Amino acid sequence: MLFHVRMDVNIPRDLPQAEAGEIIAREKAYSQELQRSGKWRHIWRIAGEYANYSIFDVKDNEELHAILTGLPLFKFMTIKVTPLLRHPSSIRDDDT
């Protein structure tokens, strides 16, 4: 299943810089591992915001939930999930 996910990050200003840096490093490693596996198909930064739009390709809602709640920055995020499905006018074979 494909999902469009918007993630807005709001790290508290009073979080010690070293702690924030460590969490961000773990987040990067985790997200890149998911990208290499094909589960996190695309990620785009939103200009001027600490946010991204991403496309996930996972088995079901439960797998997506596990991935998102496993993000080291999860507790600092507002997340909006939109399920996607193939459009009948699509000419691409790889967008399922």
Side-chain angles (χ1 to χ4, degrees), residues 8-35:
D8 292 271
V9 182
N10 187 18
I11 298 173
R13 295 194 185 278
D14 61 348
L15 187 68
Q17 190 172 9
E19 184 178 346
E22 187 272 330
I23 294 169
I24 291 167
R26 286 190 294 120
E27 179 86 9
K28 182 176 182 178
Y30 181 65
S31 72
Q32 289 179 344
E33 175 186 325
L34 288 164
Q35 289 172 66

Side-chain angles (χ1 to χ4, degrees), residues 11-88:
I11 298 173
R13 295 194 185 278
D14 61 348
L15 187 68
Q17 190 172 9
E19 184 178 346
E22 187 272 330
I23 294 169
I24 291 167
R26 286 190 294 120
E27 179 86 9
K28 182 176 182 178
Y30 181 65
S31 72
Q32 289 179 344
E33 175 186 325
L34 288 164
Q35 289 172 66
R36 282 190 275 284
S37 77
K39 293 181 185 294
W40 196 325
R41 283 179 61 176
H42 301 280
I43 183 170
W44 294 276
R45 175 178 282 166
I46 300 172
E49 299 181 36
Y50 194 170
N52 72 75
Y53 285 123
S54 294
I55 301 293
F56 287 84
D57 188 358
V58 293
K59 182 178 72 174
D60 54 24
N61 295 337
E62 189 174 336
E63 183 178 18
L64 179 65
H65 181 76
I67 287 170
L68 295 177
T69 58
L71 291 165
L73 286 171
F74 178 76
K75 65 183 174 182
F76 305 122
M77 291 181 171
T78 300
I79 298 174
K80 181 176 182 201
V81 175
T82 305
L84 302 173
L85 62 141
R86 183 179 171 88
H87 194 282

